[in-house]
Amino acid sequence: MKTTIFSQVSIDGKLTLGAGKSSKQLFSMFEEPDIKYIHQFRGLIDAIMVGKNTIQYDDPMLTNRYEENKNPLRIIPTTHMDISLDSHVLADDGRTLIVTTENGKNPEMISILKDRNKDVLICGKDKVDFVKLFRELEDHYNVHSIMIEGGGFLNWNVLDQDLVDEIIIMQLPIIIGGGTNITLVDGTGYTDLNFVKKFKVVEVLPNKNYTLLRYQKAV
């Protein structure tokens, strides 16, 4: 499966203007063609995945509003299924897959979601097993390309398990700062250069409102 991390960040790699803030604030710096680029990319892939915090703070629809019938499967990994039933991905009639754990599954929540025609997949005991998840997606959901839109901890998990083939960044010409702010990749991190994940630059394209940066996994 081809896995692409796709994100909008500041020069210093921040995803938001502070803890608990919505990343949608950064989108005010984009114009219609910029937003269209993001949505049309969604029309090229089979699935889109975001973390629970992205759902909580941004409440995105995760659709392609520019091309009818080109909406990807929406995938939300969550250890404890603590997602609001009022969120767009659970309240609308679009395709959504909630991925949770054996110890975090909530039978009542699962029943409600199934009544709403949402799928639930148990994948992992205490935390989501992304390697197993990706196999399940290919084998049972016909997903062969996936777009990951963060946040920082989700990005860390898939990078740490060597599941990412490509990173596409729309880098805004701003500095946000903040030592506790969410970055492109959070998580534990590496303290030894031998273990860092290496990518090669394949495109640097300046635009009016951002610089497009594309990286591919180094072989």
Side-chain angles (χ1 to χ4, degrees), residues 6 8 21-25 27 38-39 42 48-65 71-77 83-96 98 118 147-151 154:
F6 192 114
Q8 299 75 40
K21 300 281 188 177
S22 170
S23 62
K24 289 182 178 180
Q25 292 175 298
F27 279 69
I38 299 169
H39 281 258
R42 293 175 179 175
I48 181 171
M49 181 161 61
V50 302
K52 181 201 71 176
N53 287 340
T54 298
I55 298 298
Q56 178 179 347
Y57 297 120
D58 292 0
D59 194 18
M61 299 182 71
L62 302 179
T63 57
N64 172 13
R65 72 173 70 138
N71 290 321
L73 171 66
R74 302 172 300 189
I75 303 171
I76 317 299
I83 300 177
S84 170
L85 288 168
D86 293 328
S87 61
H88 282 116
V89 294
L90 300 185
D92 66 18
D93 58 0
R95 296 185 304 147
T96 301
I98 300 298
K118 308 302 182 189
M147 172 186 187
I148 298 177
E149 286 199 13
L154 174 57

Side-chain angles (χ1 to χ4, degrees), residues 129-203:
D129 183 337
F130 286 94
V131 174
K132 180 181 178 181
L133 169 60
F134 277 31
R135 287 199 301 266
E136 291 283 334
L137 291 175
E138 285 196 291
D139 294 344
H140 301 293
Y141 291 88
N142 198 30
V143 172
H144 302 290
S145 58
I146 187 168
M147 172 186 187
I148 298 177
E149 286 199 13
F153 286 101
L154 174 57
N155 290 345
W156 161 257
N157 278 302
V158 291
L159 281 164
D160 187 47
Q161 297 180 54
D162 290 319
L163 297 173
V164 178
D165 302 295
E166 177 184 49
I167 299 174
I168 299 177
I169 296 175
M170 300 171 73
Q171 187 181 60
L172 291 158
I174 59 174
I175 296 291
I176 296 177
T180 60
N181 201 350
I182 298 171
T183 64
L184 178 66
V185 182
D186 289 324
T188 306
Y190 303 111
T191 57
D192 189 327
L193 193 59
N194 292 314
F195 296 107
V196 300
K197 304 306 177 184
K198 297 179 181 178
F199 288 78
K200 59 182 179 181
V201 180
V202 294
E203 185 176 13

Side-chain angles (χ1 to χ4, degrees), residues 49-53 55 75-83 90 97-102 104-105 109 113 120-123 126-128 130 133 154:
M49 181 161 61
V50 302
K52 181 201 71 176
N53 287 340
I55 298 298
I75 303 171
I76 317 299
T78 168
T79 303
H80 301 290
M81 299 191 74
D82 46 347
I83 300 177
L90 300 185
L97 170 65
I98 300 298
V99 182
T100 192
T101 62
E102 186 66 36
K105 64 184 179 183
M109 182 78 156
L113 292 176
V120 178
L121 176 64
I122 309 298
C123 200
D126 298 308
K127 61 181 182 179
V128 174
F130 286 94
L133 169 60
L154 174 57

Side-chain angles (χ1 to χ4, degrees), residues 100-112:
T100 192
T101 62
E102 186 66 36
N103 290 339
K105 64 184 179 183
N106 181 328
E108 181 180 358
M109 182 78 156
I110 291 174
S111 177
I112 294 172

